[in-house]
């Protein structure tokens, strides 16, 4: 029998087991105050003791490791009843002893103001967290972070009040509270050690409650690199409130893709799901994922690319002329503009120019939400990202309607006409979400890859010279198509090595372990999270010798064919109808087209600057790749 049907399913037994002790303890403390001379003073003191008695098991349960629904229900009930007892204490202290809030705060000293402010913050924050516990999605990362903070704040406040400011029974409660916290932390630690005895992979759980989420957020690429170096290709960690196993290297990556053991359903952190509008391919699995993926892949075939190439070349020509006039510029800034115009042309059917570049700026702000503090205040990074997400969805809705009225042969036009094996299409709601996902993925993938292509050709003149010679031999002039591009074997090797060498994508989306399993004698527990490293998988020295060296020859046809399964996974691995990025081949086509147009006519040199890659989600040179650009007289001649 359920008594509440909010965000929690609380049984009658769970409610009774906590409500009746709460009622008895609170009534007993208030009755005990009746025998004291200063009634309101002792009501305030004793109700604070009642709140402490209920707080002790609440904090103990919160610290303990585990995802038991029953444990969480008891924690929430005790946390709530302790707060209610605290409100009783607060009422008698403020109105019974001092006669009102103004007198409570103004006792003539700075300390009085500080204590009053501290108690007000405690009451408001505690009440907010309880409201979130009952009415909101408790899996949201920002909720978990603030919940850890309020538990620390409340716990320390009660410890100080009981151990330092009180005596007798109150001090005893303070000692018990301190012991309960220490015991809970010890039990949590021992529980982890017990799990380690089950032969879990090596690794660290990081800080209590927060885990290793903070170092991941600060530098996601360094996070995986350092742990692979320290623990090996498979390691455990604790991210976004749950234990996670990370898989790196071809064999581990292949195991991670096994849908018998892993699923993407409901596995990603709340902010990612919210930013992607809840229902897109990276968050799905099973039949519905496969149905949608097969529809979307129809817009990413060689035949489809032949339809896109004229738009790509038109956009490239627009910006090459601009750069020729500029002479010197920061290429990252320019490539962002080009990528925005190119994405707009492919997905929306718009011409390159200012409007497309504005859409790129909006998309940039949206992307920043994935690495921001996930609290929606409207004006902060996450809030702006959600607003820009909604703007992009509306923008795509308008494009869908325009394409229905006037069909086009761009990417959106092909998606509108694509059918699954059973003849079904994407609904408009599904289409807008999938196009938004593809839109921002293409935009970021385009400008990052193009920036790194230009950087590579400038830093490796011998590679650039060989690629230029190939272009001169096979496609010296004229428009391009897939047949002509396929002749550029060495240029394709460069595009593949760029995506292997540079830290573009750190890891896959998160998955959920469906059932207990084993990998390389390590126990992989049911209910844990799982993720696979992308850049780290492509830097395993046993597969790619001297992984820190840039060598296009790794992807000569015979070498590429000999690579182990899922060793080259720049945008995910597995079959095309799985979770591998649909746009991987489109990135290759784009890089080859831009490479051809750059090498046919232009040369560039790097200006003095810091070329170290930054710590962004998609790292690029810190100073933006400043270059001097112009016509290559020798090539033109």
């Amino acid at each position: 029998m359920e008594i509440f049907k909010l965000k929690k399913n609380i049984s009658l037994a769970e409610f009774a087991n906590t409500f009746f002790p709460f009622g008895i303890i609170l009534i007993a403390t208030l009755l005990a105050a009746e025998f004291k001379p200063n009634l309101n003073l002792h009501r305030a003191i004793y109700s604070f003791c009642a709140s402490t008695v209920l707080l002790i098991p609440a904090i103990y349960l919160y610290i303990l490791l585990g995802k038991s629904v029953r444990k969480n229900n008891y924690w929430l009930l005790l946390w709530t009843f302790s707060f209610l007892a605290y409100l009783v204490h607060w009422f008698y202290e403020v109105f019974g002893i001092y006669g009102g809030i103004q007198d409570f705060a103004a006792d003539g000293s700075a300390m009085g103001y500080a204590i009053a402010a501290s108690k007000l913050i405690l009451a408001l924050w505690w009440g907010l967290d309880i409201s979130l516990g009952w009415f909101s999605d408790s899996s949201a990362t920002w909720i978990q972070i603030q919940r850890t903070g309020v538990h620390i704040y409340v716990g320390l406040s009660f410890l100080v009040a009981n151990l330092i400011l009180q005596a007798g029974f109150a001090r005893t409660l303070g000692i018990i509270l301190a012991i309960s916290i220490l015991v809970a932390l010890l039990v949590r630690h021992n529980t982890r050690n017990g799990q380690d005895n089950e032969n879990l992979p090596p690794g660290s759980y990081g800080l209590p409650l927060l885990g290793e989420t903070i170092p991941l957020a600060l530098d996601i690429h360094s996070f995986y690199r350092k742990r692979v170096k320290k623990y090996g290709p498979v390691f455990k960690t604790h991210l976004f409130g749950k234990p996670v196993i990370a898989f790196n290297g071809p064999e581990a990556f292949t195991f991670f893709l096994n849908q018998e053991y892993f699923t993407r359903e409901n596995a990603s952190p709340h902010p990612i799901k919210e930013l992607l509008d809840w229902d897109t391919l990276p968050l799905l699995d099973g039949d519905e994922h496969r149905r949608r993926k097969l529809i979307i892949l129809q817009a990413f075939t060689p035949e489809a690319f032949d339809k896109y190439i004229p738009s790509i070349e038109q956009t490239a020509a627009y910006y090459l002329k601009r750069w020729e006039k500029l002479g010197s510029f920061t290429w990252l800034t320019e490539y962002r503009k080009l990528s925005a115009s190119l994405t707009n042309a492919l997905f929306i059917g718009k011409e390159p120019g200012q409007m497309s570049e504005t859409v790129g700026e909006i998309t940039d702000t949206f992307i920043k939400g994935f690495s921001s503090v996930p609290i929606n205040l409207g004006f902060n990074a996450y809030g702006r990202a959600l607003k820009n997400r909604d703007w992009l969805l509306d923008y795509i809705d308008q494009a869908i309607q325009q394409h229905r009225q006037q069909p086009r042969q761009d990417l959106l036009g092909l998606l509108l006409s694509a059918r699954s094996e059973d003849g079904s299409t994407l609904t408009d709601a599904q289409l807008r979400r999938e196009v938004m996902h593809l839109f921002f993925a293409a935009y970021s993938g385009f400008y990052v890859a193009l920036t790194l292509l230009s950087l590579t050709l400038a830093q490796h003149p011998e590679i650039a010279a060989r690629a230029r010679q190939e272009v001169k031999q096979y496609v010296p002039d004229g428009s391009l198509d897939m047949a002509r591009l396929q002749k550029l074997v060495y240029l394709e090797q460069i595009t593949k090595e760029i995506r292997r060498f540079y830290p573009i994508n750190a890891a896959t989306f998160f998955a959920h372990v469906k059932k207990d399993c084993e990998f390389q004698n390590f126990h992989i527990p049911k209910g844990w999270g799982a993720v696979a490293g992308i850049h780290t998988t492509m830097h395993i020295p046993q597969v790619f010798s001297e992984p820190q060296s840039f060598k296009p020859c790794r992807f000569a046809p015979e070498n590429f064919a000999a690579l182990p399964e899922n060793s080259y996974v720049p945008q995910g691995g597995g079959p095309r109808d799985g979770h591998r990025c649909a746009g991987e081949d489109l990135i290759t086509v784009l890089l080859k087209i831009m490479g051809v147009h750059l090498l046919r006519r232009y040369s560039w040199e790097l200006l003095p600057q810091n070329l170290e890659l930054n710590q962004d989600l998609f790292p690029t040179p810190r100073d933006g790749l400043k270059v001097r650009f112009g016509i290559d007289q020798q090539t033109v001649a």
Side-chain angles (χ1 to χ4, degrees), residues 337-454:
K337 295 176 181 179
L338 182 151
S339 297
S341 292
L342 186 57
T343 307
N344 219 21
L346 290 175
F347 288 85
I348 309 297
K350 301 291 185 180
E351 298 293 326
Q354 185 59 50
M355 178 57 191
S356 292
E357 293 172 9
T358 300
V359 175
E361 294 171 4
I362 291 169
T363 307
D364 257 332
T365 303
F366 168 66
I367 292 172
K368 290 176 182 176
F370 287 91
S371 55
S372 65
V373 177
I375 301 176
N376 182 11
L377 300 177
F379 59 84
N380 64 333
Y382 189 73
R384 292 196 304 271
L386 290 175
K387 289 180 180 178
N388 284 19
R389 177 206 65 184
D390 294 339
W391 190 96
L392 287 171
L393 288 171
D394 289 341
Y395 184 64
I396 292 166
D397 282 338
Q398 296 172 24
I400 291 174
Q401 296 306 316
Q402 292 169 1
H403 278 65
R404 290 196 187 282
Q405 296 169 4
Q406 186 177 358
R408 299 170 180 262
Q409 289 297 302
D410 56 17
L411 201 149
L412 178 56
L414 292 183
L415 287 178
L416 279 166
S417 61
R419 298 287 188 275
S420 68
E421 294 172 336
D422 61 5
S424 63
T425 63
L426 295 175
T427 67
D428 281 4
Q430 292 170 347
L431 181 61
R432 71 198 293 258
R433 293 187 180 103
E434 299 301 348
V435 170
M436 181 191 68
H437 163 232
L438 293 169
F439 192 97
F440 87 80
Y443 166 72
S444 56
F446 288 170
Y447 82 74
V448 172
L450 288 170
T451 300
L452 297 176
L453 171 67
S454 298

